[in-house]
């Protein structure tokens, strides 16, 4: 019921009253006074029509604004929200300033919507936000008008109409096992999957896109699916199941399964169902080395108990295994003379058996790398050339993006695996090569490289390795002659230890990478030697990733 005008408004003179009618708009005989939009409503976000998705964990919010286009401030006005047209299809949550007069009909205090202040001429009221959810009884394709109006007594100040729609979305997953924990290598996991055709139209079949990450494979290959690789991110499949799919019908898809591979650790799978090939996952599932399955056809089974609540997370799951990994820090011993620049080849190797996926890399290598190592430059030397994947810890800034990447001259660095590498494969080695200038031979002392994932690493004993630099004929810790790693102001040669170029751990758990020069294998030969011990499946994965 519109509120009456304030008493003081009735005491104005006839002249002032006539002037007020010119502002608000003179009423027709026998009708309530109406203005030419003294309050001008707009919808800035959410859109009009507003799409109200059928997911139970989702809501659609309309942000409405009203500008006072009149010459006077508004102090005693209401806003009415009439959403009775969406009854049985949607629920509505209005602002706290609104009181429900009857189901889905709300009257709101205008000043409270304007945060307790009068609405001055030219100002905008921003507090009217309407949040809609679909009900389980919602029909795909439904559209309802939500009418918004503002009143001051018997005078209408303005209004607008918001259309709220339930989109016709086609097949939507409504049954899904989100994760499998404690899976063993060699085991097969079988997620429970199902969908409902949230549409007013029947289908002759459905298109299905399936993906599994690198440590998984498909438990079955169906004759109505084609399979292929997805770069270094695992394998995928595109399927078409020809079957009558009724409007509103529900179906189960229980034949999907995934096998846990020998390099699996934390793996993922996803399944998406579409009515056409225009679905995003189906359309953009780019496969290479494609072949068609030879097993039985993939089928869908009608579900007798009907649809279940829709959830945006359905169709994606995780497989958590107890498969460990061992990251080993690889140090080195190099020799030179005063003023000479030597090359220190460091690294981190994943000894497996599990490969490590970059779960959430974000925008930079510090947001979620598969490996991270702290490097302390040996005293008596200066880092004159630094890998691009290493940042200076001596100049920390509030943002990782402000850190100095590849900056020479620091004492401490943090080094990361290449962020473009989706996996740190079992058997893979990530090198970090520093050029060190020998400044003060008398001050020489070992530096270090330390892997910083000890809580997840199965073998913390090899997480730290020494970086040893010797000069002017000083004796290293092992055998094998080597020339200096670069040119400088001084000359001469010395001895350095590299374990004959291997990257094996000694009794202290400190691995090393070979120095350059004769009498030692190249440092990368160590990676090949260790890689030969990894399972055949992981070797194929490494080769495949590097080929790509």
């Amino acid at each position: 019921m519109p509120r009456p005008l304030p008493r003081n408004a009735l005491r104005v003179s006839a002249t002032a009253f006539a002037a007020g009618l010119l502002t608000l708009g003179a009423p027709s005989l026998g009708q309530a006074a109406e203005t030419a939009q003294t309050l001008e409503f707009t919808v800035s976000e959410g859109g009009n029509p507003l799409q109200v998705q059928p997911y139970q964990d989702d809501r659609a919010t309309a942000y409405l604004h009203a500008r006072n286009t009149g010459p006077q401030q508004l102090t005693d006005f209401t806003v009415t929200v009439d959403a009775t047209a969406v009854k049985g299809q949607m629920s509505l949550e209005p602002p706290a300033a609104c009181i429900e007069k009857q189901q889905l009909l709300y009257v709101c205090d205008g000043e409270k919507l304007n945060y307790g202040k009068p609405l001055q001429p030219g100002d905008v009221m921003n507090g009217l936000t309407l949040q809609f959810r679909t009900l389980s009884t919602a029909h795909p394709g439904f559209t309802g008008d939500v009418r918004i109006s503002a009143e001051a007594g018997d005078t209408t100040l303005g209004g607008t109409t918001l259309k709220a729609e339930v989109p016709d979305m086609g097949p939507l997953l409504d049954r899904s096992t989100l994760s499998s924990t404690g899976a063993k290598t060699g085991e097969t996991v079988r997620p429970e999957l199902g969908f409902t055709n949230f549409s007013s139209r029947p289908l002759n079949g459905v298109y299905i896109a399936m993906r599994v990450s690198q440590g998984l494979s498909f438990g079955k290959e169906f004759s109505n699916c084609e399979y292929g690789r997805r770069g270094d991110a695992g394998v995928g499949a595109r399927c078409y199941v020809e079957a009558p799919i009724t409007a509103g019908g529900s179906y189960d898809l229980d034949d999907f399964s995934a096998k846990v591979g020998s390099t699996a650790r934390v793996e993922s799978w996803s399944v998406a169902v579409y009515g056409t090939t225009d679905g995003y996952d189906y359309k953009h599932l780019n496969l290479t080395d494609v072949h068609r399955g030879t097993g039985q056809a993939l089928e869908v089974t009608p579900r007798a108990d009907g649809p279940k609540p829709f959830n945006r997370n359905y169709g994606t799951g995780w497989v958590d295994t107890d498969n460990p990994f061992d990251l080993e820090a690889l140090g080195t011993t190099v020799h030179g003379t005063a003023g000479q620049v030597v090359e220190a080849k460091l690294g981190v190797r994943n000894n497996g058996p599990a490969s490590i996926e970059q779960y959430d890399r974000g925008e930079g290598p510090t947001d979620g790398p598969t490996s991270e190592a702290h490097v302390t430059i040996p005293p008596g030397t200066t880092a004159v050339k630094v890998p691009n994947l290493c940042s200076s810890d001596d100049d920390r800034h509030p943002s990782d993006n402000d850190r100095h990447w590849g900056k020479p001259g620091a004492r401490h660095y943090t080094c990361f695996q290449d962020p473009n590498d989706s996996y740190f494969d079992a058997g893979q080695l990530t090198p970090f090569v520093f050029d060190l200038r020998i400044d003060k031979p008398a001050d020489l002392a070992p530096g270090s490289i330390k892997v910083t994932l000890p809580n997840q690493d199965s073998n913390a004993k090899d997480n730290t390795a020494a970086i040893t630099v010797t000069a002017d004929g000083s004796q290293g810790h092992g055998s094998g002659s080597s020339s200096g790693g670069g040119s400088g102001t001084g000359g001469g040669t010395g001895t350095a230890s590299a374990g004959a170029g291997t990257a094996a751990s000694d009794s202290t758990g400190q691995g090393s990478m070979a120095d350059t020069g004769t009498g030692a294998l190249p440092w990368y030969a160590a990676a090949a030697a260790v890689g030969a011990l990894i399972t055949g499946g992981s070797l194929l994965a490494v080769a495949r990733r590097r080929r790509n």
Side-chain angles (χ1 to χ4, degrees):
M1 179 69 67
R3 299 175 63 178
L5 286 169
R7 288 185 179 181
N8 58 357
L10 301 177
R11 298 193 186 105
V12 298
S13 67
T15 302
F17 182 68
L21 288 180
L22 289 175
T23 301
L24 298 176
S28 302
L29 186 63
Q31 295 180 343
E34 295 186 0
T35 71
Q37 291 287 315
T38 299
L39 271 180
E40 189 175 84
F41 284 87
T42 57
V43 180
S44 67
E45 296 180 50
N48 192 6
L50 179 70
Q51 296 282 314
V52 186
Q53 304 286 345
Y55 300 105
Q56 66 171 356
D57 55 346
D58 200 5
R59 68 183 69 185
T61 304
Y63 297 87
L64 289 98
H65 310 275
R67 181 182 296 277
N68 182 3
T69 61
Q72 299 176 356
Q73 72 175 11
L74 297 176
T75 59
D76 190 10
F77 66 101
T78 60
V79 176
T80 300
V81 178
D82 183 356
T84 54
V86 302
K87 183 178 180 180
Q89 303 292 315
M90 305 175 191
S91 63
L92 169 60
E93 182 180 339
C98 303
I99 298 174
E100 191 171 19
K101 297 298 184 179
Q102 66 182 63
Q103 187 178 6
L104 294 174
L105 178 64
Y106 298 88
V107 176
C108 315
D109 187 302
E111 283 194 59
K112 289 183 178 179
L113 289 176
N114 197 43
Y115 309 110
K117 300 181 296 183
L119 187 61
Q120 302 295 335
D123 285 356
V124 178
M125 180 186 71
N126 296 317
L128 184 57
T129 58
L130 305 177
Q131 295 184 331
F132 295 86
R133 292 179 186 268
T134 55
L135 302 175
S136 59
T137 53
H139 299 301
F142 168 83
T143 300
D145 288 344
V146 179
R147 303 186 185 280
I148 296 100
S149 61
E151 303 88 13
D154 292 330
T155 302
T156 300
L157 302 178
T160 191
T161 298
L162 171 70
K163 290 187 177 295
E165 295 183 349
V166 180
D168 188 316
M169 301 188 68
L172 292 178
L173 287 163
D174 61 352
R175 180 171 175 251
S176 175
T177 301
L178 295 180
S179 63
S180 301
T181 58
K184 308 292 185 183
T185 57
E187 184 179 24
T188 298
V189 295
R190 303 180 184 278
E192 296 180 352
L193 295 166
F195 67 92
T196 291
N197 183 21
F198 192 77
S199 173
S200 58
R201 297 166 293 178
L203 299 169
N204 295 323
V206 289
Y207 296 86
I208 300 174
M210 302 188 295
R211 308 167 186 250
V212 294
S213 62
Q214 179 176 283
L216 302 175
S217 60
F218 290 112
K220 296 180 181 179
E221 291 198 354
F222 302 98
S223 59
N224 51 346
C225 302
E226 56 182 14
Y227 299 84
R229 293 207 56 81
R230 301 187 297 119
D232 64 347
V235 293
R238 292 188 293 253
C239 311
Y240 178 68
V241 180
E242 186 174 1
I245 308 296
T246 62
S250 300
Y251 302 84
D252 287 330
L253 186 67
D254 288 334
D255 283 339
F256 170 72
S257 61
K259 187 174 181 180
V260 183
S262 61
T263 64
R265 180 167 171 80
V266 179
E267 305 297 333
S268 62
W269 56 263
S270 68
V271 173
V273 185
Y274 302 100
T276 69
T277 57
D278 292 334
Y280 180 84
D281 291 300
Y282 195 91
K283 188 175 183 179
H284 296 278
L285 186 58
N286 299 318
L287 304 177
T288 58
D289 300 328
V290 178
H291 67 276
R292 181 163 289 274
T294 58
Q296 66 184 42
L298 178 64
E299 298 178 348
V300 296
T301 305
R303 188 193 308 151
D305 57 354
K308 300 180 183 298
F310 300 113
N311 189 315
R312 283 191 182 273
N313 292 327
Y314 283 171
T316 300
W318 296 90
V319 179
D320 296 333
T321 77
D322 56 1
N323 203 22
F325 65 85
D326 171 26
L327 293 184
E328 180 182 3
L330 301 175
T332 190
T333 298
V334 293
H335 178 74
T337 60
Q340 188 177 9
V341 175
V342 295
E343 190 176 67
K345 296 178 178 178
L346 314 176
V348 176
R349 183 173 58 216
N350 180 11
N351 293 326
S355 296
I356 313 169
E357 182 181 9
Q358 293 195 6
Y359 311 130
D360 182 15
R361 293 197 305 271
E363 297 180 356
T366 61
D367 291 340
T370 58
S371 68
E372 178 178 315
H374 287 308
V375 174
T376 299
I377 301 301
T381 69
T382 299
V384 295
K385 184 177 180 181
V386 178
N388 290 333
L389 293 175
C390 298
S391 70
S392 166
D393 290 355
D394 296 347
D395 289 312
R396 289 189 176 273
H397 291 73
S399 169
D400 282 331
N401 293 330
D402 295 331
R403 295 175 72 176
H404 291 198
W405 297 96
K407 175 189 175 183
R411 304 308 306 165
H412 302 278
Y413 293 90
T414 301
C415 300
F416 307 92
Q417 188 189 1
D418 190 333
N420 296 317
D421 228 354
S422 299
Y423 281 83
F424 195 177
D425 291 312
Q428 181 182 349
L429 184 147
T430 300
F432 305 114
V433 181
F434 287 78
D435 283 359
L436 305 178
R437 185 182 65 232
I438 302 174
D439 294 324
K440 298 180 180 180
D443 294 341
L444 288 176
S448 65
I449 176 172
K450 181 178 181 180
V451 176
T452 56
L453 292 175
N455 294 333
Q456 303 175 45
D457 199 317
S458 64
N459 179 19
K461 293 181 179 180
D462 60 4
N463 287 166
T464 302
I467 306 170
T468 302
V469 178
T470 63
D472 299 329
S474 60
Q475 182 69 34
H477 298 292
S479 61
S481 62
S482 171
S483 62
S487 60
T489 58
T493 62
T495 58
S497 66
T502 66
S505 299
D506 58 21
S507 60
T508 63
Q510 296 184 342
S512 64
M513 296 177 68
D515 56 348
T516 57
T518 60
L521 292 173
W523 61 265
Y524 51 80
V530 174
L533 302 178
I534 307 299
T535 61
S538 65
L539 278 176
L540 288 174
V542 174
R544 205 157 35 230
R545 181 190 60 74
R546 290 178 177 163
R547 243 192 347 263
N548 291 331

